[in-house]
Amino acid sequence: MAETYDVVIIGGGPGGYNCAIRAGQLGLKVACIEMRGTLGGTCLNVGCIPSKALLHASHLFSAAQNEFASLGIKTGKVELDLTQMMAQKSDAVDGLTKGIEFLFKKNKVDYVKGRGKILSKGKVEVTDADGKKQVLETKNIVIATGSEPATLPGIEIDEERVVSNTGALSLKAVPKKLVLIGAGVIGLEMGSVWARLGSEVTVVEYLDRILPPADAEVAKEAERTFKKQGLSFKLGTKVTGIEKTKTKLKVAVEPAKGGAGETLDADIVIVAIGRKPYTEGLGLENVGGKTDKRGVIEVTDHFKVADGVWAVGDCIPGPMLAHKAEDDGTAVAELIAGKAGHVNYDLVPSVVYTNPEIAWVGKNEEELKAAGIEYKKGKFPFMANSRARTNHETVGFVKILAEKGTDRILGAHMIGVGVGEMIAEVCVAMEFGAASEDIARTSHAHPTLSEAVRQAAMGVEGWTMQM
Ligand code: FAD
Ligand code: NAI
């Protein structure tokens, strides 16, 4: 007779594997189904981790060529070994995905390899790579099937010359000319990697600005900085087609508002126009589950799709980020165990891992203005931070926004080296409902980059001291 699980999770990405581990910790009998062959989902296999491995290595390659001399470090000719750079990326991925398997064993999670399909409430069919089927019986089903790259009508992704974010992480050679469609997070991160390795990079963006969800002042500073690094942007521009000749790609573009078009030559095109939820063949309809027009699974407040069916991560509303998926998964495991699982979507930080990094949390100036909320602003440039100056890393600033009457922090927006780590301080402060004065009066070690956060917070009340 089939075993009955407390929880069966479909998908082994950050949403699914964290849900599984937490459920195991809480003493629930749990299985996690994954069809990819490795755990970790998009994030570990073809997302966060491999992209950061390439960002780190390509940054050092660029620094060795362009920055070491000014620090008094002489090198011989710096050469690229792309095969080794890709191999160290794969090593990072392998180590981390195997680490999840270890955590599953430690927390008594059954790892079931295959494609999961919901047959009905409490029944999930798993088909393995050889087509063999089994049915798991369970009290709760958690959908954690994640997302896949969005595509452009009429543009076929072959993952060789016209690639998605997956192909972009495994190019076999450095393209001479690279065109990226979309100046979002992937456009900027992957554009940075390949520009540092020697590509001539053009980023085509439909809107008239880069990085749409970021604070406009931060996005402007980012655009200026990335241009200096060699990226070129075609804003307010749409791609209308790609012609493949034997040796080249001819990318047809025209102004988004209409007008005369032009053709860009490219060796590789990366399509990075966003991602969409993945629910193919899931059997959502068998439990009355619904999706909206964009394919996002509809859930009630606390992740419920139907009685005994839950969903987390990229396939439900909210930012498509690994830490948000992780928090969703943890919350659902706790709810199933009778605890109070909850995620505060207002305080999910965003980080773009370029150099300089870009990070933000809470509301930006445009959002506060649109909502009619009166706010005060403190801003501090890294040019005036002693550690940044010592390290020759003076680009960017920290901006703190606080409510006019109460001084409660409403948002923080940063661009600069290391801001991806520094944003956590503001997240904690905001979770505790802190005022800007709370950060301003908290001792920060000297000399650190995080003193810029303190000085920006002091600036809200107009008493920045180091500028
Ligand atoms: P996923 O990670 O997509 O996992 C879902 C898993 O479910 C997949 O492994 C899939 O194979 C499996 N699956 C789907 N259907 C079935 C089925 N029927 N049966 C069995 N298995 C199934 N986020 C960040 O926070 N920081 C970053 O730096 C970052 N960098 C990124 C870089 C790139 C290039 C990309 C593409 C994404 C990046 N992201 C980043 C986003 C992050 O990867 C996702 O938000 C995160 O992986 C979502 O987790 P998830 O568990 O919801 O889904
Ligand atoms: P994105 O949503 O960040 O950016 C897509 C960009 O493409 C936008 O600027 C949009 O205006 C533009 N665009 C849309 N249609 C277009 C068209 N037809 N022509 C030209 N431009 C067009 O999506 P992206 O970069 O694909 O990344 C997907 C998601 O993956 C991100 O939203 C994020 O959730 C996640 N991610 C997170 C990272 C991080 O946290 N550091 C890194 C990479 C991805």
Side-chain angles (χ1 to χ4, degrees), residues 6-268:
D6 293 311
V7 197
V8 165
I9 299 156
I10 308 175
Y17 79 71
N18 283 290
C19 184
I21 292 168
R22 187 72 185 118
Q25 282 179 347
L26 292 167
L28 299 173
K29 185 166 173 48
V30 51
C32 181
I33 307 167
E34 172 56 61
M35 64 185 184
R36 186 187 290 274
T38 50
L39 291 168
T42 303
C43 174
L44 267 63
N45 291 282
V46 289
C48 325
I49 296 304
S51 60
K52 265 79 256 180
L54 292 183
L55 278 157
H56 179 68
S58 62
H59 168 62
L60 291 180
F61 177 67
S62 160
Q65 289 171 305
N66 306 314
E67 293 163 34
F68 280 13
S70 69
L71 298 168
I73 305 168
K74 281 190 177 175
T75 60
K77 186 166 180 275
V78 177
E79 285 179 66
L80 175 65
D81 179 351
L82 188 61
T83 311
Q84 173 56 23
M85 199 177 277
M86 291 295 173
Q88 63 85 33
K89 173 204 74 172
S90 303
D91 280 352
V93 170
D94 284 353
L96 290 169
T97 55
K98 294 214 175 77
I100 312 273
E101 280 192 48
F102 164 78
L103 290 173
F104 272 17
K105 283 193 190 116
K106 187 177 161 210
N107 291 288
K108 302 193 172 57
V109 176
D110 288 348
Y111 171 21
V112 183
K113 289 189 184 171
R115 175 182 270 273
K117 180 179 178 186
I118 303 171
L119 296 180
S120 61
K121 180 175 181 315
K123 279 194 189 349
V124 182
E125 178 187 77
V126 189
T127 309
D128 73 12
D130 301 324
K132 214 169 115 237
K133 292 184 192 299
Q134 61 169 315
V135 175
L136 306 182
E137 310 255 350
T138 178
K139 292 179 192 142
N140 292 279
I141 298 170
V142 179
I143 301 166
T145 49
S147 62
E148 61 177 343
T151 47
L152 268 173
I155 292 181
E156 186 218 344
I157 295 190
D158 56 28
E159 294 297 9
E160 288 286 330
R161 292 200 289 165
V162 181
V163 302
S164 71
N165 51 257
T166 304
L169 294 162
S170 299
L171 299 182
K172 292 184 186 79
V174 179
K176 198 164 170 316
K177 288 185 182 221
L178 174 66
V179 169
L180 279 133
I181 310 178
V185 199
I186 294 179
L188 298 178
E189 290 188 352
M190 287 296 106
S192 293
V193 166
W194 293 106
R196 290 168 190 167
L197 299 183
S199 295
E200 197 181 297
V201 175
T202 306
V203 188
V204 180
E205 165 61 48
Y206 189 83
L207 300 177
D208 57 8
R209 56 165 289 178
I210 68 166
L211 212 53
D215 181 273
E217 198 180 5
V218 169
K220 261 269 149 281
E221 176 84 357
E223 188 186 328
R224 205 169 49 226
T225 309
F226 296 138
K227 276 183 181 160
K228 278 193 202 149
Q229 295 175 2
L231 268 67
S232 83
F233 294 98
K234 281 202 165 291
L235 303 181
T237 304
K238 63 181 175 195
V239 173
T240 53
I242 301 176
E243 188 200 331
K244 292 179 185 173
T245 70
K246 221 169 175 182
T247 53
K248 283 264 167 286
L249 298 168
K250 302 247 171 226
V251 185
V253 298
E254 62 183 52
K257 292 184 184 128
E262 60 175 312
T263 303
L264 308 174
D265 280 346
D267 301 296
I268 298 281

Side-chain angles (χ1 to χ4, degrees), residues 426-441:
V426 188
C427 294
V428 174
M430 288 178 76
E431 276 291 0
F432 279 85
S436 76
E437 189 180 356
D438 292 315
I439 293 184
R441 294 199 183 274

